[in-house]
Amino acid sequence: MPSMIIKNAQTLVTMDTTRRELNNVDIRINDGVITEIGHNLSAEVQVNAQGCVVTPGLVNTHHHLYQTMTRAVPGGQDALLFGWLQTLYPIWSRMGPEHMFVSAQVGLAELALSGCSMTSDHLYLYPNGARLDDTIEAARTIGLRFHATRGSMSIGESDGGLPPDQLVEREADILKDSIRVIDQFHDASEGAMVRVGLAPCSPFSVSRDLMRDSALLARDKGVMLHTHLAENDEDISYSLEKFGCRPGQYAEDLGWVGEDVWHAHCVKLDSSEIELFSRTGTGVAHCPCSNCRLGSGIAPVRQMRDAGVKVGLGVDGSASNDAAHLLSEARQALLLQRVKNGADAMSARETLEIATLGGAKVLGRSDCGSIELGKRADIAIWDLNNVAGAGNWDPVAALVLTGPHNVRDLFVEGRKVVGDGQLLGQDIGNLIERHNKLAAVLAS
């Protein structure tokens, strides 16, 4: 890959250790790595960023990509979490490999256009021959850095669980396939485009044994752990009734805290659980739009951050958001913390940090999340010369407070994935048509 220069960035938001913002600078990229930041740099390949804000690529720490085919489903539009799941499980049970592949392509395309360079995905159901492989291949075709998690459900309705029996798997089969996908796809090296984690769906859809065995397997293989935790009041009540303790205690008892663990939502963590996460280095994927959509509440992000808990943003599934736009997620995070804690509770810059460096830390990626020498070249270029950006006095804060809606250019590992606001290498019209035909069959 030849040397490339991003030229004349009006403002470069580095997210380095001192959070520097540099004006009118150039960035050199060699072989997917940032090798120089300065002035008057030259190279054969140049991308003009004059008048633009340049940031690290945004990072999404929680998603269910398959759900792009079930947006705005009438029966789930006004339901709380458990009722919402019970509406959608029967629909999802009709999906198969093609649904998983195409829905992931659409979800990843949406993320890329919003400036996201790295995303996780929590796939916890595998009906009709679907496999994690389907989403990993979809990520390859779009070009995003991908953290696929092998999710699972093992306790169906007949055993007191929430999911229907046809969507659960035998725990021995789950562990066997977990080993397969880790061995086949996980790349622990710096700059990895694909990493695999283990992610039992939630404490109300798997057994204690599977939670514990997944933790042991993940640590034996050197991969991360992910699940849903403390999402709403129903979640807390279930934990107290079934396990005799709060979700944080349940997680700690089963080995589900540590630098290699991140939990989604955590809306209802109390002060002792926040302290536990801080002390153990456990991360949180904050999903503000989904939490609003499902009426789950406002996560204590200000208290988490003040305690030193790692926090990143997650768009969550497209059936509960229903969008996948990370700048909108950042704005919602800021607004909710201000509603709860006051207008000075969170700044636009802090929220942008959560959306970039914060997410990279949650996913264990010290090679990403900032624009510094030696870091991977995951870079977003934002053009504010549009209606949304007109009249702003602070272009960095404006990214969160006003928009733009789409990124102008997005680089992942130094390769351009979005150019001039268009996803490269894909016929979006054909992709959407194929996606909607499959979704229409699910709805029939």
Side-chain angles (χ1 to χ4, degrees):
M1 187 184 299
S3 175
M4 181 184 71
I5 301 292
I6 296 175
K7 290 289 293 183
N8 302 318
Q10 175 184 316
T11 305
L12 169 61
V13 182
T14 65
M15 290 299 167
D16 64 9
T17 54
T18 59
R19 306 299 187 264
R20 290 183 302 160
E21 295 176 10
L22 307 176
N23 296 321
N24 303 311
V25 297
D26 307 334
I27 307 162
R28 186 187 303 278
I29 299 169
N30 288 96
D31 297 323
V33 176
I34 299 163
T35 57
E36 190 175 5
I37 299 173
H39 297 89
N40 302 314
L41 305 183
S42 62
E44 183 178 341
V45 179
Q46 297 188 3
V47 176
N48 185 15
Q50 189 170 10
C52 297
V53 176
V54 177
T55 71
L58 307 183
V59 179
N60 178 39
T61 60
H62 185 64
H63 206 331
H64 306 293
L65 288 167
Y66 72 90
Q67 292 181 14
T68 62
M69 289 194 181
T70 51
R71 302 193 213 233
V73 172
Q77 287 176 17
D78 305 313
L80 296 176
L81 175 64
F82 283 18
W84 172 84
L85 284 169
Q86 288 167 333
T87 296
L88 289 163
Y89 277 143
I91 301 171
W92 295 336
S93 70
R94 300 197 294 272
M95 298 179 77
E98 186 179 13
H99 298 87
M100 297 302 181
F101 175 73
V102 176
S103 61
Q105 282 189 309
V106 167
L108 291 162
E110 185 178 13
L111 286 171
L113 290 168
S114 84
C116 175
S117 57
M118 177 164 62
T119 183
S120 65
D121 182 45
H122 188 183
L123 182 58
Y124 54 81
L125 46 81
Y126 299 88
N128 307 307
R131 301 194 300 171
L132 194 66
D133 313 41
D134 304 320
T135 57
I136 292 172
E137 176 59 19
R140 186 194 63 78
T141 68
I142 301 298
L144 294 197
R145 207 179 291 279
F146 195 50
H147 281 236
T149 62
R150 206 302 180 181
S152 54
M153 298 191 294
S154 65
I155 299 179
E157 288 176 314
S158 62
D159 293 319
L162 198 64
D165 290 344
Q166 67 265 33
L167 279 178
V168 303
E169 301 173 271
R170 293 177 59 251
E171 295 189 352
D173 294 336
I174 292 167
L175 295 169
K176 181 180 179 180
D177 193 58
S178 297
I179 293 169
R180 179 189 69 82
V181 295
I182 293 170
D183 290 348
Q184 184 171 345
F185 295 110
H186 181 68
D187 181 358
S189 66
E190 188 168 299
M193 290 297 293
V194 177
R195 288 189 178 172
V196 174
L198 299 186
C201 180
S202 64
F204 51 79
S205 57
V206 300
S207 71
R208 284 177 180 266
D209 287 343
L210 185 60
M211 291 287 287
R212 187 179 292 109
D213 289 346
S214 295
L216 291 171
L217 176 59
R219 288 179 176 129
D220 179 62
K221 293 287 189 179
V223 302
M224 294 189 73
L225 290 162
H226 182 53
T227 193
H228 300 93
L229 199 78
E231 185 169 353
N232 67 1
D233 289 331
E234 290 175 290
D235 204 338
I236 302 299
S237 297
Y238 185 95
S239 183
L240 291 171
E241 179 184 346
K242 298 292 185 180
F243 311 131
C245 63
R246 288 185 56 86
Q249 183 65 57
Y250 182 76
E252 184 179 26
D253 290 347
L254 297 177
W256 274 77
V257 293
E259 294 281 351
D260 56 353
V261 181
W262 85 104
H263 294 286
H265 302 296
C266 299
V267 173
K268 299 296 180 178
L269 291 189
D270 66 13
S271 58
S272 66
E273 290 165 323
I274 291 172
E275 190 278 329
L276 169 67
F277 279 29
S278 174
R279 172 166 42 86
T280 57
T282 306
V284 170
H286 173 44
C287 306
C289 290
S290 175
N291 296 158
C292 289
R293 162 79 156 72
L294 293 173
S296 299
I298 302 174
V301 174
R302 180 71 276 153
Q303 292 84 346
M304 293 182 198
R305 292 272 296 175
D306 289 347
V309 175
K310 295 181 297 187
V311 179
L313 287 181
V315 300
D316 203 8
S318 296
S320 69
N321 186 313
D322 290 47
H325 190 280
L326 274 167
L327 279 185
S328 296
E329 213 69 44
R331 187 173 191 271
Q332 188 81 338
L334 176 148
L335 294 176
L336 287 176
Q337 292 311 300
R338 292 184 176 202
V339 166
K340 186 174 183 179
N341 302 298
D344 60 351
M346 184 167 287
S347 71
R349 281 171 169 79
E350 182 179 7
T351 313
L352 189 59
E353 178 186 322
I354 293 170
T356 53
L357 183 63
K361 288 181 176 179
V362 166
L363 295 180
R365 296 302 297 255
S366 61
D367 54 346
C368 300
S370 62
I371 299 177
E372 301 179 78
L373 301 187
K375 292 295 185 77
R376 314 312 295 190
D378 293 3
I379 297 172
I381 301 177
W382 307 91
D383 186 356
L384 273 68
N385 295 305
N386 48 46
V387 170
N392 82 78
W393 290 28
D394 180 348
V396 177
L399 283 179
V400 174
L401 296 174
T402 75
H405 187 73
N406 282 353
V407 72
R408 193 197 80 177
D409 300 310
L410 178 69
F411 296 86
V412 181
E413 193 70 5
R415 294 182 288 268
K416 188 181 281 190
V417 174
V418 175
D420 294 325
Q422 303 296 315
L423 187 70
L424 304 179
Q426 294 289 327
D427 185 328
I428 288 294
N430 284 343
L431 176 57
I432 293 172
E433 182 180 4
R434 183 183 177 191
H435 178 274
N436 288 347
K437 284 181 178 178
L438 289 166
V441 173
L442 290 178
S444 61

